[in-house]
Amino acid sequence: MNLREIVVEGVEVHEEARFKELMAAHHYLGALPKIGHTLWYVATYKEQWLALLSFSAAAWKCAARDAWIGWDFRYQYDRLHLIANNSRFLILPEHHVPNLASRVLALSERRLAQDWRARFGYPLLLLETFVDPQRFRGTIYRAANWRYVGDTCGYRRTRDGYSAAPSSAKHVFVRPLQANAQAYLSRPVLDPQYRHGAPKLMLSAEHMVSLPTYFADIPDPRRGQGRRHPLATVLAIAAGATLCGMHGYKAISLWAKDLSQKARARFRCCYRNGHYAVPSRTVIREVLTRVDPQALDLALQCWNAQQASTDEGLAIDAKTMCNAIDTDGRQSHIPSTVGHQAHSCHTEKKSARCP
C-alpha cells in the first residue's frame, strides 16, 4: 500500500449508515450520533475504506487541557468553539499497516481546518482527544505530533451533569492547528477573527456577590405591592446573564432558572420555603422596560470602573435592546456585553461619575 495515495474525505449522506455500522461493530465505544457540531471522515485507498474518524464539539471541562492552554475558566465558554474533539478514530481490522494511522490523522487535520470553517462559519485552533490507558498508549497520536498534556480526573459527563464517582482516567492529547493557538486561546480579549456570536463569560462567585451592590441605589419603578424580588437582584441577574451571552427576556429567565442555590444566594434572591427563588420572565421584562436608563447606565459604569480595571476581558455597558418595544411604546434597556473591539446594535454614551 502506497500511503501517499490515501485520501481522506467527508462521509456522504448515503454513506452514513455504513459508517455507523462499522463504528458500532469495531470500535470499543461504539458509534456516536451525528448531532450538533460533528464531522465524519473516511480514509480510502483505491476506493477501499481503511479508517473512520469523527470530530465533534470540545469537552466542556478538562483540567489538563485547560491548564495547558492557560485560559481563565471564565473565558473558556467563549473559546470552546475553537476546539474540536477527535471523538472516534478507527482503523478497520483488515488494514493495520505501519504508519497508516499517523498518515490518516495528518490528512484529516488538513481537511478539518477547511471543512469546519466552511460548515460552521468559524475556524479551529486546537484539536483534543482522550485515550484510555487500559487499552491504548496513544502511540499513534504521539507519532502524529499530538501532545500529551495530562490525565482526566475520571469523571464522565451524564444527563444530570457529571458522575458522582470517578472511573478510569484518560490520557489527554492536544494538537494545535497553528503555532500560536495556545496564545490566542488564553488571551483576555479574543481576536475578532475568532469570535462567534456574542461575547460569553463565566461569572465568578465574587462577581455574583458584587453585582447587586451596584444597583442598590436605583429607584424601583414598580408599585410597592407585590415586590417579591428586590430590584437590585433582578438587575444583577439580567446583567450576569447578558455577560454570559444571553439575549432577550426568555434567555435571561432560562439562565436564571439554571442557577444553583449557592449562585442564587450570591445574587441575593428571595428565600422562601427553604430555597432561593429567581425572578420570572415577566418580572425581568417589567423591570427592564421600566427602569431608569440613566441610573442603570451609571451603575454599570461604576461596575466597569471597579471590575474591568483588573480584568482586561471584562466590560459591560448599558445598551438599548434592538427591536425591544413594549405594548406602551417604551424601549427596553438591558445590559449588553461589549469586548474592547466589539460592536453593539445601539450605543449612547452618557457622561456620569460614580458616586
Side-chain angles (χ1 to χ4, degrees), residues 56-72:
S56 51
W60 180 254
K61 294 180 181 179
C62 178
R65 176 205 65 194
D66 298 339
W68 179 82
I69 294 173
W71 59 16
D72 188 282

Side-chain angles (χ1 to χ4, degrees), residues 4-117:
R4 294 185 178 181
E5 297 181 13
I6 293 174
V7 177
V8 172
E9 297 177 316
V11 175
E12 301 291 338
V13 175
H14 68 275
E15 298 173 321
E16 290 184 355
R18 181 186 177 190
F19 182 95
K20 290 188 286 187
E21 289 175 2
L22 289 172
M23 194 69 77
H26 300 294
H27 198 285
Y28 77 101
L29 291 176
L32 276 175
K34 192 176 185 181
I35 57 176
H37 287 41
T38 300
L39 292 179
W40 288 350
Y41 292 97
V42 57
T44 62
Y45 176 72
K46 296 182 179 180
E47 299 185 354
Q48 187 177 15
W49 284 26
L50 306 178
L52 313 177
L53 302 98
S54 174
F55 292 90
S56 51
W60 180 254
K61 294 180 181 179
C62 178
R65 176 205 65 194
D66 298 339
W68 179 82
I69 294 173
W71 59 16
D72 188 282
F73 83 97
R74 295 187 302 102
Y75 302 144
Q76 70 184 59
Y77 181 40
D78 197 38
R79 320 285 168 86
L80 283 172
H81 66 279
L82 299 171
I83 305 175
N85 185 291
N86 178 207
S87 48
R88 295 288 189 273
F89 185 18
L90 172 66
I91 302 293
L92 293 174
E94 61 272 25
H95 298 296
H96 286 275
V97 178
N99 302 318
L100 172 62
S102 56
R103 174 65 176 172
V104 171
L105 274 176
L107 291 174
S108 65
E109 290 169 16
R110 298 170 193 170
R111 280 294 307 261
L112 185 67
Q114 300 174 6
D115 294 347
W116 199 273
R117 182 192 286 271

Side-chain angles (χ1 to χ4, degrees), residues 6 11 21 23 27 42 68 89 106 129 145 155 164 183 191-192 223 248 252 255 271 314 341:
I6 293 174
V11 175
E21 289 175 2
M23 194 69 77
H27 198 285
V42 57
W68 179 82
F89 185 18
T129 196
N145 295 318
Y155 294 95
D191 192 285
R223 294 180 300 175
I252 293 173
W255 183 87
Y271 186 80
L314 185 63
Q341 301 176 26

Side-chain angles (χ1 to χ4, degrees), residues 144-351:
N145 295 318
W146 288 56
R147 305 181 187 183
Y148 167 71
V149 296
D151 293 346
T152 67
C153 297
Y155 294 95
R156 59 185 179 84
R157 193 76 179 268
T158 67
R159 180 174 297 180
D160 299 324
Y162 287 87
S163 57
S167 54
S168 60
K170 306 294 191 297
H171 290 336
V172 182
F173 289 86
V174 299
R175 171 65 170 161
L177 294 180
Q178 62 182 56
N180 54 356
Q182 191 175 13
Y184 276 120
L185 288 168
S186 61
R187 287 179 179 176
V189 179
L190 189 62
D191 192 285
Q193 65 177 314
Y194 298 120
R195 295 175 188 163
H196 180 67
K200 297 175 285 292
L201 293 172
M202 290 183 180
L203 292 181
S204 67
E206 291 76 14
H207 289 145
M208 295 181 191
V209 171
S210 68
L211 272 170
T213 304
Y214 289 85
F215 303 116
D217 295 331
I218 296 180
D220 196 330
R222 301 171 295 174
R223 294 180 300 175
Q225 184 179 5
R227 291 184 189 175
R228 180 183 180 188
H229 301 280
L231 179 72
T233 293
V234 179
L235 293 176
I237 287 177
T242 309
L243 276 167
C244 293
M246 304 300 108
H247 289 278
Y249 308 119
K250 182 177 180 180
I252 293 173
S253 62
L254 291 175
W255 183 87
K257 289 180 181 178
D258 285 338
L259 291 172
S260 67
Q261 286 294 304
K262 286 185 178 180
R264 295 181 183 193
R266 295 177 186 129
F267 277 116
R268 306 177 192 176
C269 290
C270 177
Y271 186 80
R272 288 186 180 181
N273 300 323
H275 72 281
Y276 292 94
V278 294
S280 66
R281 177 181 176 180
T282 302
V283 172
I284 293 170
R285 181 181 183 278
E286 179 188 7
V287 166
L288 293 178
T289 56
R290 298 179 61 186
V291 70
D292 182 353
Q294 293 186 354
L296 176 61
D297 187 44
L298 175 58
L300 291 172
Q301 287 186 42
C302 292
W303 195 81
N304 269 349
Q306 180 66 31
Q307 302 295 332
S309 62
T310 57
D311 189 338
E312 185 182 352
L314 185 63
I316 186 170
D317 199 358
K319 303 300 173 191
T320 303
M321 196 180 207
C322 289
N323 304 317
I325 306 293
D326 68 3
T327 54
D328 297 323
R330 294 172 302 193
Q331 198 160 29
S332 305
H333 295 275
I334 186 171
S336 171
T337 53
V338 277
H340 291 277
Q341 301 176 26
H343 300 280
S344 61
C345 58
H346 170 88
T347 305
E348 182 183 356
K349 295 293 182 184
K350 304 177 181 68
S351 7

